Amino acid sequence: MYSLRESFFILFLMIIIVPLTGELKLYLFNNAFRVSLGSAAFLFFLLWIRRVPQVLYGFVVGLCVVCFRFFLDWIFKVPFLPIESLRLHIPAFFYYLAFSLLFYAIKVNKFHDKPFLLGFLCVLIDITSNILELLIRYFYLNNQLTLGNIGQIIIIATIRCFFVLSFFNIIKLREATLYFHQQQQQNRHMLLLISNLYAESIHLKKSLKDAETITRDCYELYRDIQANGYELKTDELSQKLLTIAGQVHEIKKDNQRIYAGLSKMITQESSQDYMDISEICNIIIKTNTRYALSLNKSIEFILNIDNGLPHFHVYTILSLINNLVSNSVESIKECGFIDLSVKKIDDFVEFKIRDNGPGIVQKKLELIFKPGYTTKYDIDGKPSTGMGLPYVKSVVESLNGNLIVNSNPDENETNFIIQLPINRIAEKG
């Protein structure tokens, strides 16, 4: 879907292209009624527009068509009669207005996946709009109107609309093909990423086993030393300490390998690592909508994003914002809302997550960022790790950003605000 800025850019193109193509014309009925490519261009543009109501486009384009034809008469017609020129061209305004009004009322753009129905509706709208223009010309300009004229209008509208739809669908097919190949490439990228993560998880599993062995050996050594009658044997103690040191060194090497592998995956800047912020936020909302349903909670998600933001690093944004949004989901008891907004402030981008959960009392606002602190327990009474918010704070600080928390338990409102320098998370180039 196009942004508001892009929609108005399309309107600007229509204002230029439709009046110009309207001059590529035929007069079939020996009067001022013309058949031109302007109608085809107008339909093509309307098929692309989703955001701004099409009636606005019809009004503006129709007005511009009349003004352009009036201007041409002023330049080329001798003698130039302003009133006569306006009477001659104003019926065209009602054609474009009626076309756009019907197009919007029927919601034609909802039928892109049904090409024959889409074609039928476009033909019907074109015929109706042409007949309206012919009726206006018949009553106010005394132009002829016969069944033969209407028959010709039906044939021309059918050919014109299906020609435009064929061209439109060729472009859409090309776009779908490119998207399919892009998805294939992204899937291969994700498979490679997952395989690398799997390899690192094997190293991590080994490292955890070594840590467990060290813990056990250290405890046994501690127990031996504390036991009554323990005789300190320097050689034996040195050997045990050397063994422990070797095990620690092995863990260090494993951790270095894991860190190197993960760092390479995180910092490798390929095109798939960056996405439009609206796409990232939609992933977060879809994920947490499913999460809320799994918890039998009814939560409304609200998304507000500024226009004109660059592409951001997917994994950084996902890991930070998804963490906070899932916390909001967990904090809401049964039903509520979560408002996610993204806006640009100078050289920073601000992410704000607002929910109507129970809130956080003032004395706990500092505790929530301490590693291990948690208020969440599973059905067996086991606490969570309490590492989510400390992780978020650590990453934000490493990016030279700010993390702000505002909470008002009396009004059931909590705000988490992350401000990050755009140059640290935006796609370069």
Side-chain angles (χ1 to χ4, degrees):
M1 184 179 290
Y2 288 104
S3 68
L4 188 61
R5 182 181 298 178
E6 290 169 328
S7 296
F8 280 110
F9 177 70
I10 291 175
L11 176 58
F12 174 74
L13 290 178
M14 291 172 72
I15 290 171
I16 296 173
I17 294 174
V18 174
L20 289 175
T21 53
E23 297 308 307
L24 302 173
K25 59 188 180 291
L26 292 172
Y27 292 101
L28 297 181
F29 307 144
N30 297 319
N31 57 39
F33 181 83
R34 66 173 72 184
V35 176
S36 72
L37 289 180
S39 303
F42 185 64
L43 171 60
F44 180 79
F45 280 116
L46 287 184
L47 289 168
W48 285 104
I49 296 164
R50 300 292 187 89
R51 187 156 184 159
V52 180
Q54 286 87 355
V55 181
L56 171 64
Y57 291 86
F59 181 85
V60 175
V61 171
L63 196 61
C64 290
V65 167
V66 173
C67 293
F68 183 68
R69 293 178 185 178
F70 181 83
F71 173 75
L72 291 180
D73 286 349
W74 177 56
I75 295 295
F76 296 108
K77 275 196 176 183
V78 179
F80 171 61
L81 302 174
I83 302 300
E84 186 64 25
S85 178
L86 285 175
R87 289 181 68 247
L88 192 66
H89 299 307
I90 278 179
F93 167 79
F94 291 99
Y95 167 82
Y96 288 104
L97 182 62
F99 197 109
S100 60
L101 182 61
L102 290 170
F103 199 95
Y104 176 70
I106 300 174
K107 302 187 184 304
V108 174
N109 278 333
K110 286 189 174 181
F111 303 104
H112 282 194
D113 57 336
K114 300 175 181 178
F116 290 104
L117 178 59
L118 180 65
F120 172 76
L121 292 175
C122 290
V123 170
L124 183 63
I125 291 171
D126 197 0
I127 293 171
T128 305
S129 303
N130 275 307
I131 291 175
L132 175 63
E133 183 181 349
L134 281 172
L135 286 171
I136 293 173
R137 292 186 183 279
Y138 174 77
F139 285 111
Y140 291 99
L141 298 175
N142 296 319
N143 289 168
Q144 65 175 355
L145 177 61
T146 65
L147 290 177
N149 296 153
I150 295 175
Q152 287 179 295
I153 287 295
I154 293 172
I155 294 171
I156 292 168
T158 303
I159 295 172
R160 182 164 56 193
C161 289
F162 277 95
F163 171 77
V164 172
L165 288 171
S166 299
F167 186 64
F168 176 76
N169 283 320
I170 288 171
I171 295 176
K172 294 289 287 185
L173 180 61
R174 176 62 177 167
E175 190 178 73
T177 303
L178 290 174
Y179 179 76
F180 173 73
H181 289 306
Q182 184 181 1
Q183 285 295 108
Q184 280 190 321
Q185 188 176 359
Q186 190 166 0
N187 289 338
R188 288 193 293 268
H189 175 77
M190 291 302 297
L191 286 173
L192 180 61
L193 180 66
I194 292 170
S195 65
N196 290 336
L197 285 173
Y198 178 77
E200 300 307 328
S201 71
I202 301 300
H203 288 299
L204 183 59
K205 186 176 181 180
K206 176 180 178 296
S207 181
L208 289 172
K209 286 184 177 179
D210 290 342
E212 186 178 353
T213 301
I214 292 173
T215 303
R216 184 179 62 252
D217 291 346
C218 288
Y219 178 74
E220 289 177 354
L221 180 60
Y222 165 79
R223 189 180 57 186
D224 290 342
I225 293 175
Q226 292 294 319
N228 293 327
Y230 176 77
E231 295 182 3
L232 182 63
K233 297 179 180 179
T234 304
D235 293 341
E236 183 181 347
L237 181 60
S238 298
Q239 186 60 41
K240 287 184 177 182
L241 291 175
L242 183 61
T243 301
I244 292 172
Q247 291 171 330
V248 171
H249 181 68
E250 186 67 22
I251 290 177
K252 175 188 173 184
K253 289 194 300 181
D254 286 338
N255 287 341
Q256 284 176 333
R257 285 195 296 269
I258 295 169
Y259 176 76
L262 293 177
S263 295
K264 183 179 179 181
M265 283 186 282
I266 292 171
T267 57
Q268 184 181 12
E269 298 181 359
S270 64
S271 59
Q272 286 86 2
D273 291 337
Y274 294 90
M275 287 175 61
D276 182 80
I277 186 60
S278 61
E279 295 182 51
I280 300 175
C281 289
N282 282 323
I283 292 172
I284 293 171
I285 288 177
K286 288 179 182 178
T287 301
N288 284 281
T289 298
R290 290 193 294 267
Y291 183 39
L293 291 174
S294 72
L295 299 176
N296 296 319
K297 296 182 180 183
S298 176
I299 298 177
E300 177 188 3
F301 290 88
I302 304 167
L303 180 60
N304 295 291
I305 300 175
D306 275 0
N307 292 322
L309 291 171
H311 286 194
F312 291 127
H313 192 258
V314 178
Y315 308 117
T316 300
I317 302 303
L318 275 179
S319 62
L320 293 175
I321 307 306
N322 192 59
N323 204 312
L324 295 179
V325 173
S326 61
N327 279 350
S328 293
V329 170
E330 293 167 355
S331 70
I332 294 173
K333 293 186 183 293
E334 294 181 359
C335 61
F337 72 85
I338 297 173
D339 185 353
L340 171 58
S341 63
V342 186
K343 62 181 179 180
K344 183 177 181 294
I345 301 176
D346 297 328
D347 295 329
F348 286 76
V349 59
E350 179 182 277
F351 301 88
K352 183 176 181 181
I353 298 93
R354 181 170 65 95
D355 66 63
N356 65 338
I360 307 169
V361 296
Q362 188 65 32
K363 65 180 181 180
K364 291 185 178 180
L365 285 178
E366 292 297 328
L367 291 175
I368 60 175
F369 295 108
K370 291 185 178 295
Y373 176 80
T374 184
T375 58
K376 294 180 287 188
Y377 297 84
D378 62 16
I379 57 175
D380 297 323
K382 296 180 180 179
S384 69
T385 60
M387 293 303 296
L389 289 177
Y391 163 76
V392 171
K393 184 178 181 182
S394 174
V395 173
V396 170
E397 290 176 349
S398 71
L399 295 170
N400 297 326
N402 303 308
L403 177 58
I404 304 168
V405 186
N406 298 316
S407 186
N408 190 342
D410 295 332
E411 297 183 3
N412 291 336
E413 181 174 322
T414 302
N415 296 295
F416 278 84
I417 301 171
I418 293 178
Q419 296 172 336
L420 299 174
I422 291 180
N423 62 353
R424 295 296 300 272
I425 57 172
E427 186 173 16
K428 297 177 177 61

